[in-house]
Amino acid sequence: AQSVAQPEDQVNVAEGNPLTVKCTYSVSGNPYLFWYVQYPNRGLQFLLKYITGDNLVKGSYGFEAEFNKSQTSFHLKKPSALVSDSALYFCAVRDPSGAGNMLTFGGGTRLMVKP
Amino acid sequence: DAGVIQSPRHEVTEMGQEVTLRCKPISGHNSLFWYRQTMMRGLELLIYFNNNVPIDDSGMPEDRFSAKMPNASFSTLKIQPSEPRDSAVYFCASSLVLANTGELFFGEGSRLTVL
């Protein structure tokens, strides 16, 4: 079975500082990994994904994530946070051997960026 | 191109009433997912369809919940009878199963309140 853990319920960072939102995963084979963002009263929006290749993946809004196979992690990062980045962030994993595109989501991490 | 369209956006009903939530996936997508989001349980997968066929409904909480996908452009999630603990935001998402890497595209959600 596949699973995702987001160890922090909330991350606080000052505007302009770098941010990291942590994610670890468990899957039997090579994982497909995703990050989504949810703004208040909105649906989830795709940010970026890792399928194969370069371990550093760049996505929307200046976000990037680093795949680390040995640590089974896929942390989301941004060099300089904006107040508008404040939202709920979800990490998700998919086992490629599974049927369809079924994703397993983590519990979410609320990012608060303060001016 | 229109995204995933859900209706209604908000529904308030009384315990025991039937609730029907509707979803129109992105044209050309062949996978459809129903998720439920609550503060206590986070994001839960209820059911997903591939090519209009239900593949995994193990997340459907109980027999009061049912989902259908009569054609590629429409799906419903029905709760009968509804209970206060069903209060949540219900999301529909669609995806194109292409090379098994497709990300999910979410609708804006239907916020259900059962009194």
Side-chain angles (χ1 to χ4, degrees):
Chain A
Q2 57 196 38
S3 66
V4 174
Q6 294 182 241
E8 302 154 315
D9 289 337
Q10 181 162 318
V11 170
N12 298 310
V13 64
E15 187 175 31
N17 284 0
L19 69 88
T20 298
V21 182
K22 296 179 180 177
C23 170
T24 58
Y25 66 89
S26 175
V27 68
S28 57
N30 293 318
Y32 294 166
L33 295 158
F34 302 79
W35 275 102
Y36 285 79
V37 60
Q38 183 181 28
Y39 298 102
N41 301 313
R42 304 295 300 276
L44 279 69
Q45 297 177 32
F46 169 76
L47 270 181
L48 51 81
K49 65 182 177 183
Y50 171 83
I51 303 300
T52 187
D54 194 348
N55 289 344
L56 185 63
V57 179
K58 294 187 184 297
S60 306
Y61 312 121
F63 283 93
E64 58 189 27
E66 186 168 12
F67 171 62
N68 188 317
K69 188 172 183 177
S70 63
Q71 297 185 4
T72 61
S73 68
F74 190 57
H75 300 332
L76 181 71
K77 300 181 180 182
K78 188 173 182 180
S80 179
L82 299 173
V83 172
S84 57
D85 292 330
S86 299
L88 190 57
Y89 290 81
F90 290 93
C91 182
V93 66
R94 177 172 172 251
D95 183 345
S97 63
N101 279 340
M102 192 176 76
L103 300 184
T104 298
F105 285 87
T109 298
R110 187 166 300 281
L111 174 66
M112 298 290 291
V113 182
K114 298 186 178 178
Chain B
D1 185 21
V4 175
I5 299 172
Q6 292 187 245
S7 64
R9 289 294 312 276
H10 302 274
E11 172 113 3
V12 180
T13 190
E14 293 187 346
M15 182 174 62
Q17 296 298 307
E18 177 179 296
V19 173
T20 299
L21 308 178
R22 298 172 177 80
C23 175
K24 177 179 169 56
I26 292 173
S27 177
H29 282 188
N30 57 357
S31 290
L32 184 140
F33 304 78
W34 283 101
Y35 284 88
R36 178 172 68 176
Q37 186 178 34
T38 61
M39 289 291 292
M40 293 295 295
R41 300 173 70 91
L43 199 60
E44 304 172 275
L45 176 65
L46 300 178
I47 185 172
Y48 82 95
F49 297 82
N50 271 359
N51 297 315
N52 312 339
V53 176
I55 302 299
D56 186 347
D57 65 354
S58 60
M60 296 286 263
E62 46 196 279
D63 292 345
R64 299 184 296 105
F65 285 69
S66 62
K68 294 182 179 180
M69 192 164 187
N71 56 61
S73 59
F74 184 66
S75 177
T76 59
L77 177 67
K78 185 175 294 186
I79 308 172
Q80 167 62 16
S82 59
E83 297 182 3
R85 59 189 168 130
D86 302 330
S87 298
V89 182
Y90 291 82
F91 288 102
C92 176
S94 72
S95 177
L96 177 63
V97 181
L98 181 66
N100 294 324
T101 63
E103 62 266 26
L104 303 186
F105 294 82
F106 283 77
E108 295 295 304
S110 294
R111 181 177 297 275
L112 173 64
T113 302
V114 183
L115 303 175

